[in-house]
Each structure stands twice: as C-alpha cells, then as structure tokens.
Amino acid sequence: MSFVVSCSRSLHTSSVLCLKRKMPNPGKPARAPPTRQLLYTPTHGKWIDPTQVKELLWRRHVYNNAMESIRKIFKAESLLYGGKGYNFTVVENQMEDEFARLLAVNEERNAENARIRAEREKKENIEMRQQILKEIEDTLNAEEEQIEFREKEVQEAIKLSADFITPENVKEKILEALENPIVYDYAIDLEGKKIVGPPAVKYIEENLVKQKRRLYDRSHSQKMEFVSDS
C-alpha cells in the first residue's frame, strides 16, 4: 500500500511540474506578421550555364520521345496479340529465327572478309618480297662499288710506293734532291701579289754557302719578280 501511495505521489508531483507555465521569451507577439525583410527576401537558385540548360532540356525531350515510342510499340504489340498480353512462345520463336538469320549473314560476311584479307596479304607478301630483293641487290651493288673503289686506291698506292723513301734508298733520294733543288718559299705583299725568289742554288760540297735569311727577304731597291697566283 505504501508503494502505491509513493508512486501516486511521484506521478502527481511530476504532472504538476510538467503543467507549470513558463514565461515566454520577450519579443514580438506570436501573431505578429513577419518583417518585410524576412517576407520579401528572394532565394536565388544556383547559377547554371545556359549551354548546360539547353543540353538538359534536349535530353529531357529525347527521353520523353523515347518513352513515347516505347509505349506505342508496346501498345501495338498488345493489340497484335488481341489485347491479351504477350505470347512469349511466339516472341521467342521470332527471336530465334532472327538470331539464326543474323548468324548466317555474319558467317557470309566473315567468309567474304577472310577472302579479301587473304588476297590482300598475298599481295602484300609479294610486294614485301620484291622490296627485300631490291634492297639486297642495292646492298650488293654498293658493296661491289666499294670494293672497286678500294682496289683502285690500293693500285694507286702501289704505284706511288715506287717513289717512297725507304731505309734502302734514303741516300739515293737525298742525292737526287740535292741535284734538283726546289724552293717552295714565296711572299705576298699587301696588294696580294705573290713574290717568288730566285732559283735555288745547287748544293756543292766544296763551296758551302751559309744562308743568313730567307731568299725572298729583299729590300725594295732590289729587283723583284712578280708572279700572279692564278
């Protein structure tokens, strides 16, 4: 009994506390209209590029047209079967016949493509073979020309080797050079004229002349020979 009384007291106190009135917050009355700022402030949507809007509109039209076409097709097929719905057996047979027909057409097309591909590959092989043979022939011709050129160089070197100086004929070549002296020195003045000195003096062992300067180092008072370099 005491437990029931305590529970009833607790319920009574809680209900009293819940029903206690609370002072409202200060401000406008509850029935006052909203301010002009809250009432008339427009909410702008997110800006979208006009091209995107056109694209979305075009897609919507395409979707609607596609759905309308599908509805017409379904309606025509439904009327074809007497409005009783689809006859799946007939549809499956039609699909199998269509698949067999397309498969036969595909086989014919593959056979034709295989024939064309074989002819093309045969032609390409012939052209490639001719090109390879031509490259081999050009390479052989180039090698033959190179061999002929090298042989010619060797023959010319053999001919020139007769005048080469060797340890066996070095004394003979020295005496020959002394008997036939050649002066390769020459001068060029400011006007571009080539000045050649007098002929070389033959070497004589009994009458040695010591050369003090170049043979073409002469003063302007002496007579000089001008030879144009053509």
Side-chain angles (χ1 to χ4, degrees):
M1 186 67 181
S2 61
F3 176 73
V4 174
V5 172
S6 62
C7 290
S8 62
R9 287 180 180 177
S10 63
L11 291 173
H12 178 70
T13 54
S14 62
S15 62
V16 170
L17 291 175
C18 292
L19 294 175
K20 185 178 179 180
R21 294 194 62 185
K22 184 179 179 181
M23 292 296 293
N25 294 328
K28 284 188 175 183
R31 295 184 179 181
T35 60
R36 184 179 182 83
Q37 182 179 3
L38 297 176
L39 184 62
Y40 295 101
T41 300
T43 56
H44 298 284
K46 186 178 180 181
W47 184 84
I48 302 176
D49 191 3
T51 56
Q52 295 182 3
V53 175
K54 292 180 180 179
E55 179 69 18
L56 294 174
L57 182 60
W58 176 80
R59 291 186 180 184
R60 179 178 177 81
H61 290 332
V62 171
Y63 174 78
N64 291 337
N65 292 334
M67 294 301 297
E68 186 67 22
S69 300
I70 291 172
R71 291 191 186 96
K72 289 181 180 180
I73 292 171
F74 286 169
K75 186 175 181 180
E77 290 182 354
S78 178
L79 294 175
L80 181 64
Y81 297 113
K84 298 180 181 179
Y86 289 101
N87 189 348
F88 291 100
T89 304
V90 177
V91 173
E92 289 178 359
N93 294 333
Q94 292 178 355
M95 292 176 63
E96 290 178 358
D97 296 340
E98 182 69 13
F99 178 74
R101 185 183 66 80
L102 294 176
L103 189 62
V105 172
N106 189 29
E107 292 294 336
E108 293 178 0
R109 185 179 298 174
N110 290 338
E112 182 67 18
N113 292 336
R115 184 183 62 80
I116 296 173
R117 183 169 57 255
E119 293 178 357
R120 184 177 65 251
E121 290 178 355
K122 183 178 180 180
K123 184 178 179 181
E124 290 177 355
N125 291 334
I126 294 173
E127 292 178 355
M128 186 181 297
R129 181 181 179 84
Q130 293 177 355
Q131 184 178 0
I132 293 172
L133 292 176
K134 186 177 182 302
E135 291 179 356
I136 293 172
E137 185 178 359
D138 294 341
T139 303
L140 293 176
N141 293 334
E143 290 180 355
E144 290 179 358
E145 292 178 359
Q146 190 71 11
I147 291 171
E148 292 178 358
F149 178 74
R150 296 302 179 188
E151 288 180 354
K152 186 177 180 181
E153 282 187 344
V154 171
Q155 295 296 334
E156 292 178 356
I158 292 172
K159 291 180 181 179
L160 294 175
S161 64
D163 297 331
F164 289 171
I165 298 175
T166 60
E168 290 78 11
N169 62 356
V170 62
K171 293 183 179 180
E172 181 181 353
K173 294 294 182 181
I174 291 173
L175 293 175
E176 182 180 354
L178 293 175
E179 290 293 332
N180 303 299
I182 300 175
V183 178
Y184 296 98
D185 295 337
Y186 62 89
I188 299 176
D189 61 1
L190 297 177
E191 297 179 358
K193 296 179 180 180
K194 183 177 179 181
I195 303 173
V196 181
V201 180
K202 186 176 179 180
Y203 177 81
I204 302 175
E205 294 182 358
E206 291 80 7
N207 186 13
L208 296 177
V209 179
K210 186 176 181 181
Q211 183 177 342
K212 297 182 180 180
R213 64 179 184 274
R214 295 284 186 179
L215 295 177
Y216 55 80
D217 291 341
R218 294 173 294 178
S219 62
H220 292 283
S221 60
Q222 297 179 355
K223 184 179 179 181
M224 294 185 294
E225 180 183 358
F226 297 97
V227 179
S228 61
D229 190 4
S230 58

